[in-house]
Amino acid sequence: MNLGVRWTLHGDGRTPAPGAVVRPDERLSWPRTAGLGAQHVVAMFGASFVAPVLMGLDPNLAIMMSGVATVVFLLATRGAVPSYLGCSLSFVGVAATIRATGGYSATVTGAVLVVGAVLFLVGLAVRRFGARIIHVAMPPIVTGAVVMLIGFNLAPVTASTYWPQDQWTALLVMLFTGLAVVCLRGFWSRVAIFLGLVFGYALSWVLDLVFGKIHSPLGGGEAVDHWRLDLSGVAKADWIGLPSFHAPAFEWSAILVALPVVIALVAENAGHVKAVGEMTGDPLDDKLGTAIAADGAASILSTAVGGPPNTTYSENIGVMAATRVYSTAAYWAAAGFALLFGLCPKFGAVVAAIPGGVLGGITVILYGMIGLLGAQIWINADVDLRNPLNLVPAAAGIIIGVGGVSLKITDNFELGGIALGTIVVITGYHVLRAFAPAHLKEQEPLLDSGTSSYEGGRSGKDGGDGRGGEGGGAQPVARS
């Protein structure tokens, strides 16, 4: 059986020839492959390590399971789709909502496990019936609106929990990260979030030395005196050890809040597969269903032991674009490094100690980018918001999702926020479409719209904006 774990040496094993690429079934020398693997891990450091902290989950377990998830994905796709699977940012708002209503870590991972199972089934359906079934049920207007409300629903978390802990640090970290994203090039632009975290760490340490403790709300609670950067947990942590595991718990209210993220994950995977196919020159449309199912299976495995869900990362697309190396051997090396990091509790303690003010500056940009990716989906697909068939359900769903509007069904069951907003967008669009006059339905949903292609000019007919890697490209939702 071909599992995609055999590679031929590319050229002399050092660097690709001018204009050549290292294909997924090729590799460079093993030392260079290991170096590329380490580079891929660093590329996803920022978002993938911030996400479990924001979700209240063990960062050590998150990085370990990202390595396991990457192995599962590579085996399932038989090495045809080079990808690293990191913690998905799309679930941060879900976790915040679940915890705000009395849920805890097991409730979060239980809800997300169900999402992984649904994603797995969607992947199997796509393998059986083709990608068009996705776009019949979730055309770009629906996908974009759901991604937008998921991102913007997170705004109160930044405003009430992180930013008030140290507003000046948050402001400076926001400015530094924004400059890094815009001004840096190549690999460094891909790790801008990580650089922002490093800057924030150093800034918090300096401010503690100069000004001492700060008096501010800690974690959304009462204002108290505290250090900006508290490394006491790092000193106590062991160098080698297993992360903390826990079993998931299942509650219908939490599951309904999490289910809409399936839409974002499908869009992420479709964009990743399409981008990689265009970069390598090998169409991978027939692998879309397998990639989606593999993502779902990996998330089931991770959440079953208390870890976060996983998804493909566009930061790693940027690394491939910069190096022209698409070898899956590099991703196997990256998975190995992730497993080693996961076995170091001291490393996890450093991640868990990220100051609240630093997270405030990072999340202002990160959450806004997630939400605006919904607008990018509309632009790429040439969605016409002058058409009331598109405008009405999207407008209503976004306001419900962002504003936290709720609908009380019974004394013990209530729909609100992300869940209710998504239901309104999906059902509203299809119900209105069923009754709309013919002239409003002339623009049919486009196959593979709503995700950006990697190179070439933007075209409403192919659904791509022609940018990726150095120019932005298909980003995780996120992040995904």
Side-chain angles (χ1 to χ4, degrees):
M1 178 184 296
N2 177 23
L3 296 177
V5 292
R6 293 180 180 273
W7 304 274
T8 58
L9 188 66
H10 177 88
D12 61 2
R14 295 183 179 180
T15 55
V21 300
V22 180
R23 299 168 60 83
D25 59 351
E26 297 178 328
R27 65 169 177 84
L28 297 178
S29 66
W30 284 117
R32 285 175 171 75
T33 296
L36 285 166
Q39 194 175 25
H40 278 300
V41 174
V42 173
M44 46 69 68
F45 259 14
S48 198
F49 289 164
V50 168
V53 173
L54 298 177
M55 294 174 68
L57 300 177
D58 183 353
N60 264 89
L61 183 57
I63 184 62
M64 174 184 284
M65 295 312 297
S66 74
V68 174
T70 299
V71 169
V72 170
F73 187 91
L74 293 174
L75 289 175
T77 59
R78 299 186 178 183
V81 186
S83 180
Y84 190 95
L85 267 64
C87 181
S88 175
L89 283 163
S90 299
F91 288 93
V92 172
V94 166
T97 301
I98 293 173
R99 291 183 183 277
T101 55
Y104 48 101
S105 294
T107 317
V108 171
T109 53
V112 175
L113 189 152
V114 174
V115 173
V118 173
L119 186 65
F120 177 76
L121 295 176
V122 170
L124 295 183
V126 172
R127 287 191 60 181
R128 174 66 178 83
F129 300 106
R132 187 167 295 277
I133 64 168
I134 295 175
H135 305 291
V136 169
M138 299 181 297
I141 181 61
V142 170
T143 307
V146 172
V147 171
M148 188 174 290
L149 68 87
I150 287 174
F152 292 158
N153 179 264
L154 295 166
V157 177
T158 294
S160 62
T161 301
Y162 299 120
W163 190 278
Q165 291 187 42
D166 189 351
Q167 60 177 359
W168 294 111
T169 295
L171 178 63
L172 291 173
V173 170
M174 179 192 72
L175 294 174
F176 177 89
T177 305
L179 286 171
V181 171
V182 173
C183 298
L184 297 181
R185 294 291 183 268
F187 171 74
W188 294 109
S189 69
R190 304 265 66 80
V191 296
I193 298 297
F194 174 66
L195 296 178
L197 291 175
V198 173
F199 171 79
Y201 249 89
L203 177 63
S204 297
W205 178 70
V206 170
L207 291 177
D208 280 342
L209 285 180
V210 175
F211 298 107
K213 292 184 177 180
I214 186 173
H215 184 79
S216 67
L218 189 60
E222 296 293 327
V224 296
D225 291 331
H226 62 92
W227 295 109
R228 296 169 181 83
L229 178 60
D230 184 1
L231 297 176
S232 58
V234 178
K236 298 175 184 177
D238 296 327
W239 280 102
I240 300 176
L242 289 172
S244 57
F245 300 95
H246 69 257
F250 302 97
E251 296 181 10
W252 274 111
S253 57
I255 291 170
L256 289 174
V257 169
L259 277 176
V261 182
V262 169
I263 297 173
L265 296 179
V266 169
E268 287 176 352
N269 278 279
H272 184 86
V273 170
K274 185 173 183 178
V276 172
E278 292 186 5
M279 286 190 298
T280 60
D282 293 329
L284 296 173
D285 292 346
D286 61 328
K287 296 292 184 182
L288 178 58
T290 301
I292 293 173
D295 190 346
S299 291
I300 292 172
L301 184 60
S302 177
T303 52
V305 297
N310 294 282
T311 191
T312 53
Y313 260 58
S314 65
E315 284 88 343
N316 300 98
I317 291 182
V319 173
M320 290 189 289
T323 62
R324 293 178 292 128
V325 177
Y326 308 106
S327 171
T328 53
Y331 284 105
W332 278 93
F337 284 121
L339 290 172
L340 292 176
F341 276 123
L343 293 173
C344 180
K346 195 171 288 291
F347 171 78
V350 171
V351 176
I354 298 173
V358 176
L359 291 176
I362 293 291
T363 55
V364 162
I365 295 176
L366 210 55
Y367 294 169
M369 288 172 63
I370 295 171
L372 288 176
L373 284 175
Q376 183 188 18
I377 289 173
W378 289 343
I379 293 170
N380 293 342
D382 282 342
V383 171
D384 185 3
L385 291 178
R386 296 170 300 178
N387 186 337
L389 177 58
N390 294 328
L391 179 64
V392 172
I398 289 172
I399 290 299
I400 288 173
V402 174
V405 176
S406 62
L407 184 65
K408 191 171 184 179
I409 309 300
T410 68
D411 291 339
N412 300 317
F413 183 70
E414 184 176 291
L415 279 175
I418 295 173
L420 183 59
T422 300
I423 291 172
V424 167
V425 172
I426 296 176
T427 60
Y429 174 81
H430 288 290
V431 169
L432 290 175
R433 186 175 178 82
F435 291 98
H439 72 278
L440 295 182
K441 298 186 286 187
E442 290 177 357
Q443 183 178 355
E444 295 294 330
L446 303 175
L447 183 62
D448 285 331
S449 298
T451 53
S452 57
S453 61
Y454 198 77
E455 293 178 350
R458 175 180 165 268
S459 171
K461 295 301 181 185
D462 64 13
D465 72 347
R467 294 183 300 171
E470 311 247 353
Q475 298 292 329
V477 174
R479 323 271 248 208
S480 38

PDB file of all heavy atoms in Angstrom, residues 49-50 52-54 56-60 201 228-231 233-234 345-356 359:
ATOM      1  N   PHE A  49      -0.112  28.413  18.927  1.00  0.00           N
ATOM      2  CA  PHE A  49       0.118  28.403  20.363  1.00  0.00           C
ATOM      3  C   PHE A  49      -0.793  29.381  21.086  1.00  0.00           C
ATOM      4  O   PHE A  49      -1.127  29.189  22.243  1.00  0.00           O
ATOM      5  CB  PHE A  49       1.582  28.726  20.680  1.00  0.00           C
ATOM      6  CG  PHE A  49       2.525  27.627  20.302  1.00  0.00           C
ATOM      7  CD1 PHE A  49       3.880  27.855  20.215  1.00  0.00           C
ATOM      8  CD2 PHE A  49       2.059  26.353  20.021  1.00  0.00           C
ATOM      9  CE1 PHE A  49       4.763  26.846  19.854  1.00  0.00           C
ATOM     10  CE2 PHE A  49       2.921  25.329  19.659  1.00  0.00           C
ATOM     11  CZ  PHE A  49       4.270  25.574  19.573  1.00  0.00           C
ATOM     12  N   VAL A  50      -1.168  30.458  20.399  1.00  0.00           N
ATOM     13  CA  VAL A  50      -2.110  31.402  21.008  1.00  0.00           C
ATOM     14  C   VAL A  50      -3.485  30.757  21.154  1.00  0.00           C
ATOM     15  O   VAL A  50      -4.165  30.939  22.171  1.00  0.00           O
ATOM     16  CB  VAL A  50      -2.205  32.689  20.163  1.00  0.00           C
ATOM     17  CG1 VAL A  50      -3.375  33.546  20.623  1.00  0.00           C
ATOM     18  CG2 VAL A  50      -0.915  33.488  20.270  1.00  0.00           C
ATOM     19  N   PRO A  52      -4.756  27.588  21.751  1.00  0.00           N
ATOM     20  CA  PRO A  52      -5.113  26.812  22.937  1.00  0.00           C
ATOM     21  C   PRO A  52      -5.140  27.644  24.219  1.00  0.00           C
ATOM     22  O   PRO A  52      -5.955  27.386  25.113  1.00  0.00           O
ATOM     23  CB  PRO A  52      -4.026  25.728  23.000  1.00  0.00           C
ATOM     24  CG  PRO A  52      -2.907  26.229  22.170  1.00  0.00           C
ATOM     25  CD  PRO A  52      -3.544  27.058  21.103  1.00  0.00           C
ATOM     26  N   VAL A  53      -4.253  28.648  24.308  1.00  0.00           N
ATOM     27  CA  VAL A  53      -4.276  29.525  25.481  1.00  0.00           C
ATOM     28  C   VAL A  53      -5.595  30.278  25.539  1.00  0.00           C
ATOM     29  O   VAL A  53      -6.235  30.380  26.596  1.00  0.00           O
ATOM     30  CB  VAL A  53      -3.087  30.512  25.439  1.00  0.00           C
ATOM     31  CG1 VAL A  53      -3.206  31.544  26.553  1.00  0.00           C
ATOM     32  CG2 VAL A  53      -1.771  29.758  25.570  1.00  0.00           C
ATOM     33  N   LEU A  54      -6.042  30.809  24.395  1.00  0.00           N
ATOM     34  CA  LEU A  54      -7.315  31.533  24.349  1.00  0.00           C
ATOM     35  C   LEU A  54      -8.501  30.616  24.626  1.00  0.00           C
ATOM     36  O   LEU A  54      -9.531  31.050  25.143  1.00  0.00           O
ATOM     37  CB  LEU A  54      -7.490  32.199  22.983  1.00  0.00           C
ATOM     38  CG  LEU A  54      -6.441  33.262  22.607  1.00  0.00           C
ATOM     39  CD1 LEU A  54      -6.699  33.789  21.204  1.00  0.00           C
ATOM     40  CD2 LEU A  54      -6.449  34.399  23.610  1.00  0.00           C
ATOM     41  N   GLY A  56      -8.340  28.075  26.672  1.00  0.00           N
ATOM     42  CA  GLY A  56      -8.207  27.538  28.017  1.00  0.00           C
ATOM     43  C   GLY A  56      -7.753  26.091  28.045  1.00  0.00           C
ATOM     44  O   GLY A  56      -8.009  25.374  29.018  1.00  0.00           O
ATOM     45  N   LEU A  57      -7.044  25.633  26.996  1.00  0.00           N
ATOM     46  CA  LEU A  57      -6.590  24.248  26.909  1.00  0.00           C
ATOM     47  C   LEU A  57      -5.072  24.184  27.069  1.00  0.00           C
ATOM     48  O   LEU A  57      -4.373  25.187  26.975  1.00  0.00           O
ATOM     49  CB  LEU A  57      -7.017  23.644  25.566  1.00  0.00           C
ATOM     50  CG  LEU A  57      -8.518  23.620  25.305  1.00  0.00           C
ATOM     51  CD1 LEU A  57      -8.821  23.070  23.911  1.00  0.00           C
ATOM     52  CD2 LEU A  57      -9.256  22.782  26.364  1.00  0.00           C
ATOM     53  N   ASP A  58      -4.564  22.990  27.332  1.00  0.00           N
ATOM     54  CA  ASP A  58      -3.147  22.775  27.600  1.00  0.00           C
ATOM     55  C   ASP A  58      -2.324  22.994  26.326  1.00  0.00           C
ATOM     56  O   ASP A  58      -2.472  22.243  25.356  1.00  0.00           O
ATOM     57  CB  ASP A  58      -2.958  21.345  28.119  1.00  0.00           C
ATOM     58  CG  ASP A  58      -1.519  21.049  28.503  1.00  0.00           C
ATOM     59  OD1 ASP A  58      -0.645  21.893  28.255  1.00  0.00           O
ATOM     60  OD2 ASP A  58      -1.273  19.960  29.054  1.00  0.00           O
ATOM     61  N   PRO A  59      -1.436  24.008  26.292  1.00  0.00           N
ATOM     62  CA  PRO A  59      -0.645  24.246  25.080  1.00  0.00           C
ATOM     63  C   PRO A  59       0.305  23.104  24.758  1.00  0.00           C
ATOM     64  O   PRO A  59       0.612  22.864  23.584  1.00  0.00           O
ATOM     65  CB  PRO A  59       0.106  25.546  25.398  1.00  0.00           C
ATOM     66  CG  PRO A  59       0.083  25.669  26.883  1.00  0.00           C
ATOM     67  CD  PRO A  59      -1.179  25.014  27.335  1.00  0.00           C
ATOM     68  N   ASN A  60       0.797  22.397  25.796  1.00  0.00           N
ATOM     69  CA  ASN A  60       1.666  21.254  25.534  1.00  0.00           C
ATOM     70  C   ASN A  60       0.931  20.166  24.767  1.00  0.00           C
ATOM     71  O   ASN A  60       1.438  19.591  23.796  1.00  0.00           O
ATOM     72  CB  ASN A  60       2.188  20.663  26.844  1.00  0.00           C
ATOM     73  CG  ASN A  60       3.556  21.196  27.208  1.00  0.00           C
ATOM     74  OD1 ASN A  60       3.635  22.215  27.867  1.00  0.00           O
ATOM     75  ND2 ASN A  60       4.604  20.531  26.760  1.00  0.00           N
ATOM     76  N   TYR A 201       6.461  39.777  25.133  1.00  0.00           N
ATOM     77  CA  TYR A 201       7.146  39.170  26.281  1.00  0.00           C
ATOM     78  C   TYR A 201       8.243  40.098  26.786  1.00  0.00           C
ATOM     79  O   TYR A 201       8.335  40.398  27.987  1.00  0.00           O
ATOM     80  CB  TYR A 201       7.766  37.833  25.861  1.00  0.00           C
ATOM     81  CG  TYR A 201       7.108  36.616  26.468  1.00  0.00           C
ATOM     82  CD1 TYR A 201       6.041  35.989  25.842  1.00  0.00           C
ATOM     83  CD2 TYR A 201       7.574  36.090  27.656  1.00  0.00           C
ATOM     84  CE1 TYR A 201       5.450  34.874  26.378  1.00  0.00           C
ATOM     85  CE2 TYR A 201       6.997  34.966  28.223  1.00  0.00           C
ATOM     86  CZ  TYR A 201       5.936  34.356  27.571  1.00  0.00           C
ATOM     87  OH  TYR A 201       5.345  33.251  28.120  1.00  0.00           O
ATOM     88  N   ARG A 228       3.029  41.829  35.145  1.00  0.00           N
ATOM     89  CA  ARG A 228       2.613  41.663  33.751  1.00  0.00           C
ATOM     90  C   ARG A 228       3.046  40.292  33.222  1.00  0.00           C
ATOM     91  O   ARG A 228       2.295  39.606  32.546  1.00  0.00           O
ATOM     92  CB  ARG A 228       3.232  42.765  32.886  1.00  0.00           C
ATOM     93  CG  ARG A 228       2.758  44.174  33.232  1.00  0.00           C
ATOM     94  CD  ARG A 228       3.611  45.207  32.509  1.00  0.00           C
ATOM     95  NE  ARG A 228       3.196  46.574  32.830  1.00  0.00           N
ATOM     96  CZ  ARG A 228       3.587  47.233  33.922  1.00  0.00           C
ATOM     97  NH1 ARG A 228       4.390  46.637  34.799  1.00  0.00           N
ATOM     98  NH2 ARG A 228       3.179  48.465  34.134  1.00  0.00           N
ATOM     99  N   LEU A 229       4.287  39.923  33.533  1.00  0.00           N
ATOM    100  CA  LEU A 229       4.847  38.649  33.088  1.00  0.00           C
ATOM    101  C   LEU A 229       5.168  37.806  34.320  1.00  0.00           C
ATOM    102  O   LEU A 229       6.105  38.101  35.061  1.00  0.00           O
ATOM    103  CB  LEU A 229       6.126  38.885  32.263  1.00  0.00           C
ATOM    104  CG  LEU A 229       6.861  37.642  31.759  1.00  0.00           C
ATOM    105  CD1 LEU A 229       5.956  36.818  30.848  1.00  0.00           C
ATOM    106  CD2 LEU A 229       8.146  38.033  31.031  1.00  0.00           C
ATOM    107  N   ASP A 230       4.379  36.770  34.542  1.00  0.00           N
ATOM    108  CA  ASP A 230       4.550  35.894  35.697  1.00  0.00           C
ATOM    109  C   ASP A 230       5.122  34.557  35.226  1.00  0.00           C
ATOM    110  O   ASP A 230       4.428  33.748  34.615  1.00  0.00           O
ATOM    111  CB  ASP A 230       3.201  35.684  36.390  1.00  0.00           C
ATOM    112  CG  ASP A 230       3.324  34.848  37.659  1.00  0.00           C
ATOM    113  OD1 ASP A 230       4.466  34.455  38.006  1.00  0.00           O
ATOM    114  OD2 ASP A 230       2.288  34.576  38.297  1.00  0.00           O
ATOM    115  N   LEU A 231       6.407  34.343  35.510  1.00  0.00           N
ATOM    116  CA  LEU A 231       7.090  33.131  35.073  1.00  0.00           C
ATOM    117  C   LEU A 231       7.257  32.115  36.198  1.00  0.00           C
ATOM    118  O   LEU A 231       8.065  31.191  36.083  1.00  0.00           O
ATOM    119  CB  LEU A 231       8.464  33.486  34.492  1.00  0.00           C
ATOM    120  CG  LEU A 231       8.448  34.361  33.226  1.00  0.00           C
ATOM    121  CD1 LEU A 231       9.869  34.715  32.814  1.00  0.00           C
ATOM    122  CD2 LEU A 231       7.712  33.670  32.089  1.00  0.00           C
ATOM    123  N   GLY A 233       5.289  29.746  37.067  1.00  0.00           N
ATOM    124  CA  GLY A 233       4.911  28.415  36.594  1.00  0.00           C
ATOM    125  C   GLY A 233       5.999  27.766  35.752  1.00  0.00           C
ATOM    126  O   GLY A 233       6.133  26.542  35.741  1.00  0.00           O
ATOM    127  N   VAL A 234       6.799  28.582  35.076  1.00  0.00           N
ATOM    128  CA  VAL A 234       7.882  28.046  34.251  1.00  0.00           C
ATOM    129  C   VAL A 234       8.951  27.420  35.132  1.00  0.00           C
ATOM    130  O   VAL A 234       9.481  26.343  34.838  1.00  0.00           O
ATOM    131  CB  VAL A 234       8.495  29.150  33.370  1.00  0.00           C
ATOM    132  CG1 VAL A 234       9.655  28.611  32.553  1.00  0.00           C
ATOM    133  CG2 VAL A 234       7.425  29.741  32.453  1.00  0.00           C
ATOM    134  N   PRO A 345       7.065  20.049  29.415  1.00  0.00           N
ATOM    135  CA  PRO A 345       6.141  20.902  30.175  1.00  0.00           C
ATOM    136  C   PRO A 345       6.659  22.320  30.386  1.00  0.00           C
ATOM    137  O   PRO A 345       5.870  23.265  30.465  1.00  0.00           O
ATOM    138  CB  PRO A 345       5.999  20.160  31.503  1.00  0.00           C
ATOM    139  CG  PRO A 345       6.284  18.735  31.180  1.00  0.00           C
ATOM    140  CD  PRO A 345       7.351  18.779  30.119  1.00  0.00           C
ATOM    141  N   LYS A 346       7.964  22.480  30.473  1.00  0.00           N
ATOM    142  CA  LYS A 346       8.510  23.825  30.672  1.00  0.00           C
ATOM    143  C   LYS A 346       8.199  24.710  29.464  1.00  0.00           C
ATOM    144  O   LYS A 346       7.893  25.898  29.616  1.00  0.00           O
ATOM    145  CB  LYS A 346      10.017  23.745  30.906  1.00  0.00           C
ATOM    146  CG  LYS A 346      10.612  25.032  31.473  1.00  0.00           C
ATOM    147  CD  LYS A 346      12.046  24.835  31.896  1.00  0.00           C
ATOM    148  CE  LYS A 346      12.169  24.000  33.161  1.00  0.00           C
ATOM    149  NZ  LYS A 346      11.665  24.725  34.363  1.00  0.00           N
ATOM    150  N   PHE A 347       8.259  24.126  28.286  1.00  0.00           N
ATOM    151  CA  PHE A 347       7.909  24.865  27.082  1.00  0.00           C
ATOM    152  C   PHE A 347       6.436  25.294  27.127  1.00  0.00           C
ATOM    153  O   PHE A 347       6.093  26.431  26.819  1.00  0.00           O
ATOM    154  CB  PHE A 347       8.170  24.005  25.849  1.00  0.00           C
ATOM    155  CG  PHE A 347       7.648  24.582  24.571  1.00  0.00           C
ATOM    156  CD1 PHE A 347       8.323  25.601  23.924  1.00  0.00           C
ATOM    157  CD2 PHE A 347       6.467  24.121  24.028  1.00  0.00           C
ATOM    158  CE1 PHE A 347       7.837  26.139  22.749  1.00  0.00           C
ATOM    159  CE2 PHE A 347       5.970  24.656  22.855  1.00  0.00           C
ATOM    160  CZ  PHE A 347       6.658  25.669  22.211  1.00  0.00           C
ATOM    161  N   GLY A 348       5.567  24.374  27.534  1.00  0.00           N
ATOM    162  CA  GLY A 348       4.153  24.710  27.642  1.00  0.00           C
ATOM    163  C   GLY A 348       3.896  25.794  28.673  1.00  0.00           C
ATOM    164  O   GLY A 348       3.009  26.637  28.496  1.00  0.00           O
ATOM    165  N   ALA A 349       4.667  25.796  29.753  1.00  0.00           N
ATOM    166  CA  ALA A 349       4.499  26.812  30.784  1.00  0.00           C
ATOM    167  C   ALA A 349       4.880  28.194  30.262  1.00  0.00           C
ATOM    168  O   ALA A 349       4.265  29.207  30.633  1.00  0.00           O
ATOM    169  CB  ALA A 349       5.342  26.458  32.006  1.00  0.00           C
ATOM    170  N   VAL A 350       5.897  28.248  29.407  1.00  0.00           N
ATOM    171  CA  VAL A 350       6.285  29.523  28.794  1.00  0.00           C
ATOM    172  C   VAL A 350       5.142  30.055  27.926  1.00  0.00           C
ATOM    173  O   VAL A 350       4.813  31.244  27.961  1.00  0.00           O
ATOM    174  CB  VAL A 350       7.568  29.355  27.949  1.00  0.00           C
ATOM    175  CG1 VAL A 350       7.844  30.614  27.134  1.00  0.00           C
ATOM    176  CG2 VAL A 350       8.750  29.036  28.843  1.00  0.00           C
ATOM    177  N   VAL A 351       4.507  29.169  27.166  1.00  0.00           N
ATOM    178  CA  VAL A 351       3.377  29.572  26.320  1.00  0.00           C
ATOM    179  C   VAL A 351       2.200  30.040  27.174  1.00  0.00           C
ATOM    180  O   VAL A 351       1.565  31.057  26.892  1.00  0.00           O
ATOM    181  CB  VAL A 351       2.945  28.406  25.408  1.00  0.00           C
ATOM    182  CG1 VAL A 351       1.706  28.785  24.607  1.00  0.00           C
ATOM    183  CG2 VAL A 351       4.072  28.011  24.471  1.00  0.00           C
ATOM    184  N   ALA A 352       1.923  29.285  28.248  1.00  0.00           N
ATOM    185  CA  ALA A 352       0.782  29.613  29.108  1.00  0.00           C
ATOM    186  C   ALA A 352       0.986  30.933  29.846  1.00  0.00           C
ATOM    187  O   ALA A 352       0.013  31.530  30.322  1.00  0.00           O
ATOM    188  CB  ALA A 352       0.547  28.481  30.098  1.00  0.00           C
ATOM    189  N   ALA A 353       2.244  31.399  29.954  1.00  0.00           N
ATOM    190  CA  ALA A 353       2.534  32.627  30.698  1.00  0.00           C
ATOM    191  C   ALA A 353       2.424  33.883  29.847  1.00  0.00           C
ATOM    192  O   ALA A 353       2.777  34.970  30.316  1.00  0.00           O
ATOM    193  CB  ALA A 353       3.933  32.530  31.309  1.00  0.00           C
ATOM    194  N   ILE A 354       1.952  33.763  28.614  1.00  0.00           N
ATOM    195  CA  ILE A 354       1.809  34.949  27.757  1.00  0.00           C
ATOM    196  C   ILE A 354       0.980  36.003  28.493  1.00  0.00           C
ATOM    197  O   ILE A 354      -0.149  35.735  28.912  1.00  0.00           O
ATOM    198  CB  ILE A 354       1.126  34.598  26.431  1.00  0.00           C
ATOM    199  CG1 ILE A 354       1.962  33.582  25.641  1.00  0.00           C
ATOM    200  CG2 ILE A 354       0.907  35.851  25.585  1.00  0.00           C
ATOM    201  CD1 ILE A 354       1.265  33.060  24.409  1.00  0.00           C
ATOM    202  N   PRO A 355       1.502  37.202  28.699  1.00  0.00           N
ATOM    203  CA  PRO A 355       0.764  38.238  29.436  1.00  0.00           C
ATOM    204  C   PRO A 355      -0.554  38.606  28.759  1.00  0.00           C
ATOM    205  O   PRO A 355      -0.658  38.602  27.519  1.00  0.00           O
ATOM    206  CB  PRO A 355       1.737  39.426  29.433  1.00  0.00           C
ATOM    207  CG  PRO A 355       3.091  38.822  29.236  1.00  0.00           C
ATOM    208  CD  PRO A 355       2.861  37.649  28.322  1.00  0.00           C
ATOM    209  N   GLY A 356      -1.545  38.960  29.582  1.00  0.00           N
ATOM    210  CA  GLY A 356      -2.846  39.321  29.043  1.00  0.00           C
ATOM    211  C   GLY A 356      -2.798  40.515  28.120  1.00  0.00           C
ATOM    212  O   GLY A 356      -3.498  40.569  27.099  1.00  0.00           O
ATOM    213  N   LEU A 359      -1.706  39.403  24.703  1.00  0.00           N
ATOM    214  CA  LEU A 359      -2.823  38.771  23.994  1.00  0.00           C
ATOM    215  C   LEU A 359      -3.825  39.814  23.517  1.00  0.00           C
ATOM    216  O   LEU A 359      -4.436  39.661  22.457  1.00  0.00           O
ATOM    217  CB  LEU A 359      -3.515  37.758  24.901  1.00  0.00           C
ATOM    218  CG  LEU A 359      -2.722  36.496  25.241  1.00  0.00           C
ATOM    219  CD1 LEU A 359      -3.495  35.630  26.228  1.00  0.00           C
ATOM    220  CD2 LEU A 359      -2.405  35.700  23.978  1.00  0.00           C
TER     221      LEU A 359
END
